[in-house]
């Protein structure tokens, strides 16, 4: 096809072979005593390399990854060297978070056999995943990921933050601590940019933890034990039972700074609640006894 010839002639394939990162580099970190992102705070990412170039793949589907690298936008993103610049670009450009441009990735060709048929029917890589690869290459700190998850200006920035963790996290045991604070979040957005996929951040987060299929792509499989724990915790959360303080990952609840005094406060609250429930029970008992007496009269 024309587009393929164009890539061959323009040397894009050769350029990708020589630099799979498309000129995109790790962000600059501040000295330990300075303000700014610190290398010691970087969220550990999965170490899987892609089979073609031996470059980090961050659990992105190989065909999608190759498609992103072949695209102009990915190479242009090399000009953006700071986290803030990339977040601004996401704000202006991202209005859906599916892996492929909506409508270009055929239902028939998703699944294992599509890799064999070649790139032609795979669809066009979406801008959200292009930005996601850019963020992976920047290597974000816990503070930066946290600021994505809480971003006030765009639910799409937030959704990309959750995908960053769901695809790239080195240790999926941390996933629940990152995601749990957002289960009740009702910030609304459209996953594929159309009202048909309207959802909330809370539903999106739950879906990322429980469903491996994601719009023509497969999310990395969670270890069985982690998956079971998540199911169990989601059930408890749904029934209003929670056996843990609201933390946020970042090593020991980093973001919310959960400390011993909070645990004490929680203990006191639970004791007060138990006491109140006891009073309600004895009142009910008293009432039903009185009713019984009145009925006997």
């Amino acid at each position: 096809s024309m587009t393929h010839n164009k890539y061959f002639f323009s040397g894009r394939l050769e350029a990708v072979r020589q630099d799979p990162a498309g000129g995109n580099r790790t962000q600059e970190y501040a000295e330990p005593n300075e303000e700014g992102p610190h290398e010691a705070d970087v969220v550990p990412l999965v170490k899987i390399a892609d089979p073609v170039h031996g470059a980090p793949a961050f659990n992105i589907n190989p065909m999608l990854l190759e498609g992103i690298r072949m695209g102009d936008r990915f190479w242009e993103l090399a000009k953006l060297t700071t986290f803030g610049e990339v977040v601004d670009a996401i704000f202006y450009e991202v209005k859906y978070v599916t892996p492929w441009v909506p409508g270009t990735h055929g239902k028939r060709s998703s699944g294992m056999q599509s890799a064999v048929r070649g790139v032609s029917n795979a669809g066009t890589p979406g801008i959200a995943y292009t930005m996601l690869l850019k963020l992976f290459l920047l290597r974000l700190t816990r503070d930066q990921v946290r600021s994505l998850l809480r971003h006030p200006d765009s639910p799409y920035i937030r959704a990309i933050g959750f995908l960053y963790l769901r695809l790239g996290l080195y240790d999926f045991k941390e996933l629940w601590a990152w995601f749990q604070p957002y289960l009740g979040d009702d910030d609304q957005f459209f996953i594929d940019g159309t009202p048909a996929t309207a959802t909330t951040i809370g539903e999106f987060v739950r879906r990322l933890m429980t469903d491996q299929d994601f719009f023509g792509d497969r999310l990395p499989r969670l270890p069985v034990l982690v998956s079971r724990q998540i199911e169990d915790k989601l059930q408890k959360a749904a029934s209003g039972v929670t056996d843990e303080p609201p933390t946020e990952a970042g090593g020991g609840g980093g973001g919310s700074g959960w400390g011993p005094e909070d645990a004490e406060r929680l203990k006191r609250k639970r004791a007060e609640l138990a006491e109140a429930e006891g009073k309600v029970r004895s009142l009910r008992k008293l009432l039903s006894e009185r009713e019984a007496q009145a009925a006997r009269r």
Side-chain angles (χ1 to χ4, degrees):
S1 72
M2 273 305 294
T3 52
H4 263 117
N5 292 341
K6 188 182 83 187
Y7 287 141
F8 283 112
F9 291 138
S10 71
R12 177 57 56 79
L13 270 175
E14 181 55 26
V16 169
R17 199 176 66 77
Q18 290 186 7
D19 181 9
N24 293 284
R25 300 289 171 252
T26 306
Q27 65 183 324
E28 300 231 338
Y29 298 108
E31 291 298 315
N33 53 353
E34 290 175 4
E35 278 286 287
H38 295 127
E39 198 164 0
D41 189 39
V42 167
V43 175
L45 296 175
V46 64
K47 299 215 180 350
I48 298 166
D50 77 76
V52 185
H53 307 287
F58 309 106
N59 276 327
I60 297 173
N61 163 338
M63 236 183 357
L64 182 60
L65 185 60
E66 198 61 6
I68 293 169
R69 288 171 176 157
M70 293 292 286
D72 293 338
R73 189 70 193 105
F74 179 58
W75 288 75
E76 289 160 5
L77 288 174
K79 292 200 284 280
L80 309 182
T81 57
T82 68
F83 174 66
E85 289 172 327
V86 179
V87 172
D88 285 348
I90 293 170
F91 176 76
Y92 289 112
E93 294 177 49
V94 176
K95 300 291 174 244
Y96 61 87
V97 291
T98 50
W100 311 91
V101 174
T104 67
H105 186 63
K107 290 273 182 290
R108 286 188 319 281
S109 65
S110 66
M112 290 312 289
Q113 77 281 15
S114 59
V116 181
R117 291 197 211 145
V119 180
S120 55
N121 61 2
T124 311
I127 185 66
Y129 269 60
T130 304
M131 294 295 185
L132 190 56
L133 180 55
K134 171 68 180 180
L135 291 173
F136 280 138
L137 291 165
L138 278 181
R139 301 222 165 239
L140 304 185
T141 63
R142 290 179 187 279
D143 274 347
Q144 288 171 334
V145 173
R146 224 173 267 130
S147 74
L148 292 176
L149 304 187
R150 298 172 176 173
H151 209 284
D153 298 335
S154 163
Y156 297 98
I157 295 173
R158 304 183 68 196
I160 285 176
F162 291 111
L163 286 167
Y164 186 93
L165 295 166
R166 180 61 184 85
L167 264 80
L169 206 53
Y170 174 71
D171 185 0
F172 282 132
K173 286 201 287 292
E174 276 193 29
L175 201 63
W176 175 261
W178 278 108
F179 281 19
Q180 181 266 336
Y182 302 96
L183 284 170
D185 196 308
D186 53 12
D187 195 5
Q188 260 210 325
F189 69 106
F190 302 147
I191 299 177
D192 74 354
T194 72
T197 57
T199 189
T200 62
I201 288 289
E203 284 169 12
F204 184 67
V205 161
R206 187 176 282 102
R207 174 180 183 155
L208 289 182
M209 289 194 285
T210 55
D211 194 350
Q212 228 192 323
D213 287 311
F214 185 63
F215 291 85
D217 196 17
R218 303 276 289 162
L219 297 170
R221 186 183 291 282
L222 297 178
V224 174
L225 197 63
V226 171
S227 194
R228 273 198 205 129
Q229 285 171 341
I230 284 173
E231 290 286 353
D232 184 45
K233 286 170 171 172
L234 281 172
Q235 276 176 343
K236 281 182 174 162
S239 60
V241 181
T242 170
D243 51 3
E244 61 204 302
T247 63
E248 184 162 15
S256 47
W258 182 264
E261 65 281 5
D262 300 287
E264 271 306 307
R265 197 166 64 240
L266 189 68
K267 220 169 169 177
R268 278 202 306 277
K269 278 266 177 266
R270 282 183 177 158
E272 283 167 21
L273 197 64
E275 196 185 341
E277 280 173 349
K279 281 181 181 163
V280 167
R281 270 199 301 276
S282 53
L283 265 171
R284 282 208 180 117
K285 199 173 159 202
L286 195 67
L287 274 171
S288 60
E289 281 169 5
R290 291 230 170 120
E291 278 170 2
Q293 281 172 359
R296 281 202 295 276
R297 287 202 199 107

